[in-house]
Amino acid sequence: MRVLVPFDAREPNTRLAPLFDTDQRRDLAGVLLTDVLAAIREAGHEPAILSTEPLERDCPVLVDDRSLTEAVNARLVDAELPLAVVMADLALVTPRSVGRLLDAEADVVLAPGLGGGTNAIRVEHPEFRVDYHDGSYRKHRRAARECGAKCHTLDSFRLAVDVDEPADLAEVLLHGRGESADWLREAGVELSTADGRCSVVGPDE
């Protein structure tokens, strides 16, 4: 199955600016992407990057500078279904979690993020369209109902954690198995329990 991986090649991970400069954020985004692509391949599927700019990668790169919603919906119209979309910043993703997403039996399979977004989706219904951002998980459930698609929500911790805020990096250090966790440690990011919960401190803190 073809799996699209949307990637912002221009200004990735802007909310990590308190810890990393622009070049570091781009480096981290590239490592996160590498982990996601590897998990998809190890699950036995072929990834294709949906990028805002050209990239040099060992898989197809589809350049589209439109909004995420427009770019994905254009592929849903033209692609042979089923089609899956897995976000590029899922640092905890594993081949097993990808397999659970792609093997679930439903017209629309949703893997929600912790903040109400949609971190991964598998679409087999020809009339279903995405609508990302601003609580997209609820919007996608509603869209599935409106087009008569059978919808399944996948309960997956490893697909729920995406890297948006500095606090998300604690989960990567605690549970990450790929290159992203190694990159953070080499960058000097460490776990802290100063407030009773696991958080992170940067190299200058």
Side-chain angles (χ1 to χ4, degrees):
M1 184 187 306
R2 178 56 61 90
V3 183
L4 293 180
V5 182
F7 183 70
D8 181 1
R10 293 173 179 163
E11 291 293 332
N13 302 116
T14 55
R15 284 180 279 181
L16 296 181
L19 286 178
F20 306 123
D21 62 29
T22 301
D23 288 340
Q24 289 175 312
R25 294 197 304 273
R26 287 184 177 136
D27 287 346
L28 175 57
V31 174
L32 290 164
L33 176 62
T34 295
D35 281 345
V36 171
L37 296 176
I40 293 168
R41 287 195 183 100
E42 289 176 35
H45 297 274
E46 178 61 34
I49 302 169
L50 186 59
S51 177
T52 56
E53 293 183 351
L55 289 176
E56 291 293 332
R57 285 281 178 162
D58 59 348
C59 69
V61 177
L62 312 174
V63 179
D64 195 324
D65 63 359
R66 291 176 289 182
S67 72
L68 178 59
T69 295
E70 292 178 303
V72 171
N73 280 336
R75 270 69 193 182
L76 286 174
V77 170
D78 296 333
E80 180 180 346
L81 299 178
L83 178 72
V85 181
V86 177
M87 295 303 162
D89 59 354
L90 305 186
L92 306 186
V93 67
T94 61
R96 181 175 181 273
S97 60
V98 172
R100 290 182 61 212
L101 173 80
L102 302 185
D103 294 340
E105 295 184 1
D107 298 324
V108 176
V109 183
L110 302 172
L114 297 178
T118 305
N119 283 354
I121 186 170
R122 175 186 178 275
V123 179
E124 194 161 1
H125 195 287
E127 297 178 20
F128 180 86
R129 298 293 180 266
V130 298
D131 185 358
Y132 285 103
H133 305 301
D134 301 323
S136 66
Y137 169 67
R138 294 193 300 173
K139 292 192 286 187
H140 288 149
R141 284 184 60 85
R142 182 170 61 248
R145 288 195 302 270
E146 290 175 350
C147 72
K150 178 184 177 183
C151 184
H152 172 69
T153 296
L154 185 67
D155 182 5
S156 173
F157 169 71
R158 292 196 168 272
L159 294 177
V161 176
D162 52 357
V163 176
D164 285 330
E165 311 280 351
D168 300 327
L169 302 179
E171 303 296 342
V172 183
L173 291 176
L174 284 166
H175 305 290
R177 301 175 181 174
E179 295 183 20
S180 304
D182 293 337
W183 187 96
L184 290 173
R185 294 186 183 99
E186 291 173 6
V189 179
E190 298 179 348
L191 286 170
S192 170
T193 55
D195 61 356
R197 292 171 60 95
C198 286
S199 59
V200 295
V201 293
D204 299 325
E205 298 180 63

